[in-house]
Amino acid sequence: TQRDSLHTAQLETQLGKFWETKKQEDTTRDEAHAAQLRELEDHHAALLQAAKTDAEKLSAEKTVLEGQNQAGEKREEALRAELGQRDASHAAEVDKLTLSSTAREDTLRSEHAAATAELVKSHARFDHEREEAHAADLKEKLAAQKGRFISSLTDAA
């Protein structure tokens, strides 16, 4: 019937409008989701770029620190070598001074022994000369006394 046809036409119009509205809502929602997805992708790309930049900075810092560490290790090796050379030089100087001191002590002992021997000789010579002088003096006195004794005997005779 006509009424049914009209009713069907109305339902079809309403259904068409419903689907049209539904399509618009779906399209709007899809566009909103697409915009959110683009924002998330942009944000993700920015995070990846920031992470990459941080990684590059950390790598550069690591390279600098490794260089400083190597320089520090080389400096430490140089200081150890210098310290070893100083120790060896010091030990050689101590040995040299010890040998020099020992040689000087030996020289002083020899000089002391020679001086002591010379002093003993000098004392012995002095004692001998004094004894000879004393003996000569006694001989003179004895000769003088003998002379006086003979004179007194001669005078008495």
Side-chain angles (χ1 to χ4, degrees):
T1 73
Q2 203 176 10
R3 191 169 174 222
D4 287 338
S5 292
L6 182 60
H7 186 46
T8 300
Q10 284 178 339
L11 284 176
E12 285 177 0
T13 302
Q14 286 178 349
L15 186 59
K17 286 181 183 178
F18 170 79
W19 283 118
E20 189 61 35
T21 303
K22 181 76 172 139
K23 273 190 197 176
Q24 285 179 351
E25 288 175 356
D26 287 348
T27 301
T28 303
R29 186 176 58 248
D30 289 346
E31 288 173 356
H33 284 150
Q36 286 178 339
L37 184 59
R38 281 191 300 275
E39 286 179 19
L40 286 174
E41 287 173 348
D42 291 346
H43 184 66
H44 184 257
L47 288 176
L48 285 176
Q49 184 59 43
K52 182 179 176 186
T53 302
D54 287 348
E56 288 171 354
K57 285 181 185 177
L58 289 174
S59 177
E61 287 177 17
K62 178 183 174 190
T63 301
V64 168
L65 290 174
E66 286 173 346
Q68 289 174 347
N69 189 39
Q70 287 175 352
E73 287 173 356
K74 285 180 182 178
R75 178 70 178 138
E76 182 179 354
E77 286 177 27
L79 288 174
R80 285 184 193 276
E82 183 180 337
L83 183 59
Q85 288 174 348
R86 284 184 184 177
D87 286 347
S89 175
H90 182 256
E93 187 66 23
V94 167
D95 289 345
K96 179 180 161 188
L97 290 174
T98 301
L99 290 174
S100 175
S101 174
T102 302
R104 182 69 181 139
E105 286 176 16
D106 292 345
T107 301
L108 289 174
R109 281 191 188 106
S110 296
E111 289 174 357
H112 183 264
T116 301
E118 187 62 36
L119 185 60
V120 167
K121 282 184 197 175
S122 179
H123 277 295
R125 209 177 356 196
F126 178 73
D127 287 345
H128 180 68
E129 288 173 1
R130 189 175 58 175
E131 285 174 7
E132 283 182 354
H134 185 59
D137 187 42
L138 286 177
K139 280 183 186 178
E140 280 180 31
K141 285 181 183 179
L142 184 60
Q145 208 173 24
K146 183 179 174 185
R148 280 193 306 271
F149 180 66
I150 292 175
S151 267
S152 71
L153 287 178
T154 310
D155 288 343

